Amino acid sequence: MPPAKQLIGVIDVPGPERDALARTIARDDLAVYAASGIEELPPETALIVAHARAVSRADWERLAERLPTLVVSDNRQDADLLKAVEAGLVDYIIDPLRHGSLLRRMIVKAIEVHRLAAERERDRARLAHLNENLEELNESLETHLAMLRLDQQAGGQIQRKLLPPRPQTLQDVTFDYWLAPSLYLSGDFLDFQAFDERYSLFYFADVSGHGASSAFVTVLLKYLSNRWRQEWDGEHPERLAPRWLAALNRELLDAGIGKHATLFVGVIDHRRRYLHYSLGAQLPMPLLVADGEVQVLPGEGMPVGLFPGVDYPSLGCPLPENFRLWLCSDGILECLPGETLEGRLRELERRVLASATLEDLRGSLALAHLADDDEVVAHSAPGHEELPDDLTIMVLSGFGNDKS
């Protein structure tokens, strides 16, 4: 279907000259409607060609506001032409019948310029509308972000409340730790409690990922460990740690939340000065420092929450008279130099051996500048956004070495 012809309105005094002008315009496949005034033109008119003699001064201004208009005149000195120019109509042609080809080109060009101007105006209007919507959307996002930040801060405060007071001495072993979430919530978690005068229980967990979902797992871990501690009868401490890990493995798999964790669970027999423990893929392995030497606690086990039916090892070792037992989350390895995992583990052993206190180790890892206050960490976590991961260090010192 051929495109509709552009309709050109011709305003002139009726007569042979208006008819000749209409015929001149119509030669280039343009439709022409001749009229004596603006009101007679049909609404689909695309452009007006008005003779200077046929339009009053007031009507020139109306024409300029309504449609693109070309002015034609027979004489450059025509006073009516000056009125049109003064009204803002600067596109004119003298003697149009003689310059018909130029007139038609000017018509086509004026229609195109008007079309482009209309498109720009529509684009400007769409852009203004889009900007208005973007501003509303941005305000909405800012509001939701603020709410999310408040939720995260509230969650972080609750999670910090679930951690045990520190430092804390249970019988003759002192427990201390430092936990720095990469934002507000942490996938790292730990706890230690005295069972009775003979036994103390502790665990050190690193849940995969970080943020809200990992923090929820740490809350579940806290709840389950408290329940299992209350259910323990104090017999066979060597069985407790592997039983906890196996039970937690089942709980995480049954929950179907797609989370797994590495875990170290220990039971200290203060009477025997002996550590019963089990582990689920703890990395780095706990480091036992005594008599100027560092020892990696032996053993291996599968992470919890990945595979069903896993049995966890029952392990143990005597605790020397003066010892420090260090546990670090895998995020600490990101703070150490070294191209390989083995190299970073050796570097951690070296720094642990050289550290008498928790602050010493933090200082050697360039982490001493981070906040140590639980309230500050829970509220704003200053500097934590630059951390590569959740970072946690836990140290146990005893029996005569409780200065960490």
Side-chain angles (χ1 to χ4, degrees):
M1 183 176 179
K5 295 180 178 179
Q6 298 280 5
L7 179 61
I8 310 301
V10 172
I11 297 178
D12 197 359
V13 178
E17 293 183 354
R18 187 179 75 176
D19 296 341
L21 179 61
R23 288 194 299 273
T24 300
I25 295 173
R27 287 176 186 170
D28 278 355
D29 206 25
L30 293 170
V32 178
Y33 187 92
S36 300
I38 304 173
E39 294 77 8
E40 299 176 19
L41 295 176
E44 61 269 25
T45 303
L47 181 140
I48 297 173
V49 175
H51 200 288
R53 65 187 169 217
V55 181
S56 67
R57 178 185 292 273
D59 284 344
W60 282 125
E61 295 177 354
R62 291 171 54 199
L63 281 174
E65 295 173 357
R66 182 176 174 182
L67 283 172
T69 302
L70 293 178
V71 185
V72 296
S73 176
D74 298 329
N75 189 339
R76 187 179 297 275
Q77 303 302 321
D78 188 346
D80 293 328
L81 176 60
L82 296 178
K83 296 175 184 177
V85 173
E86 290 173 353
L89 297 167
V90 296
D91 292 329
Y92 64 88
I93 183 169
I94 306 300
D95 196 358
L97 298 182
R98 182 182 176 189
H99 303 95
S101 177
L102 175 61
L103 173 62
R104 291 189 292 275
R105 291 188 181 184
M106 289 180 67
I107 290 173
V108 173
K109 188 65 177 178
I111 291 174
E112 178 65 11
V113 169
H114 181 70
R115 184 185 65 79
L116 292 176
E119 285 186 359
R120 281 198 301 272
E121 188 60 33
R122 286 194 295 270
D123 289 344
R124 189 178 295 110
R126 282 197 295 267
L127 184 59
H129 182 65
L130 182 60
N131 285 335
E132 184 178 344
N133 288 341
L134 284 175
E135 289 178 2
E136 292 179 359
L137 181 60
N138 189 51
E139 289 180 5
S140 176
L141 287 174
E142 290 288 345
T143 301
H144 282 83
L145 183 60
M147 294 174 61
L148 182 61
R149 186 180 295 111
L150 289 175
D151 286 345
Q152 293 265 321
Q153 289 173 344
Q157 290 174 339
I158 292 173
Q159 193 179 34
R160 304 292 293 194
K161 295 292 184 185
L162 296 177
L163 292 167
R166 64 182 176 89
Q168 189 175 164
T169 300
L170 304 178
Q171 304 303 332
D172 40 13
V173 175
T174 297
F175 296 75
D176 199 3
Y177 64 88
W178 176 74
L179 189 152
S182 59
L183 193 53
Y184 299 107
L185 297 170
S186 174
D188 291 354
F189 197 73
L190 57 87
D191 199 5
F192 45 81
Q193 297 184 50
F195 176 75
D196 56 19
E197 293 182 353
R198 180 172 180 177
Y199 297 113
S200 295
L201 315 178
F202 70 97
Y203 60 85
F204 187 90
D206 183 353
V207 180
S208 60
H210 43 255
S213 59
S214 299
F216 291 151
V217 175
T218 68
V219 175
L220 175 65
L221 176 59
K222 174 78 175 184
Y223 164 74
L224 292 174
S225 64
N226 283 342
R227 193 182 77 187
W228 295 331
R229 182 179 60 83
Q230 293 170 359
E231 293 174 352
W232 187 39
D233 59 4
E235 300 294 330
H236 303 292
E238 72 280 2
R239 300 177 185 174
L240 183 62
R243 196 166 66 220
W244 275 24
L245 291 175
L248 180 62
N249 188 49
R250 290 192 298 271
E251 291 283 351
L252 288 181
L253 288 172
D254 291 344
I257 55 178
K259 285 290 181 180
H260 65 276
T262 61
L263 214 71
F264 182 92
V265 181
V267 180
I268 295 179
D269 185 338
H270 294 267
R271 185 181 302 169
R272 288 181 57 199
R273 295 190 171 180
Y274 193 88
L275 172 65
H276 301 279
Y277 68 93
S278 186
L279 70 169
Q282 173 66 30
L283 182 74
M285 290 292 289
L287 300 173
L288 181 64
V289 177
D291 300 326
E293 296 182 355
V294 59
Q295 170 192 352
V296 180
L297 287 191
E300 59 182 12
M302 301 292 287
V304 294
L306 277 182
F307 307 104
V310 176
D311 292 325
Y312 291 90
S314 176
L315 304 164
C317 69
L319 293 174
E321 172 67 22
N322 297 309
F323 77 92
R324 284 189 296 277
L325 179 64
W326 295 87
L327 298 101
C328 300
S329 63
D330 59 358
I332 294 296
L333 297 176
E334 301 294 328
C335 304
L336 292 165
E339 297 297 325
T340 64
L341 173 62
E342 190 63 23
R344 295 186 178 190
L345 291 173
R346 298 290 82 78
E347 183 64 23
L348 179 61
E349 292 176 18
R350 189 184 68 78
R351 299 195 185 200
V352 160
L353 185 60
S355 300
T357 66
L358 193 60
E359 289 70 26
D360 289 343
L361 183 56
R362 283 181 55 195
S364 73
L365 296 170
L367 299 173
H369 66 287
L370 295 175
D372 195 28
D373 182 89
D374 286 351
E375 289 297 326
V376 174
V377 171
H379 184 263
S380 60
H384 288 206
E385 67 279 2
E386 299 176 358
L387 297 181
D389 196 355
D390 300 329
L391 305 180
T392 305
I393 303 171
M394 181 179 181
V395 59
L396 287 64
S397 54
F399 294 93
N401 188 4
D402 58 352
K403 297 178 181 177
S404 64

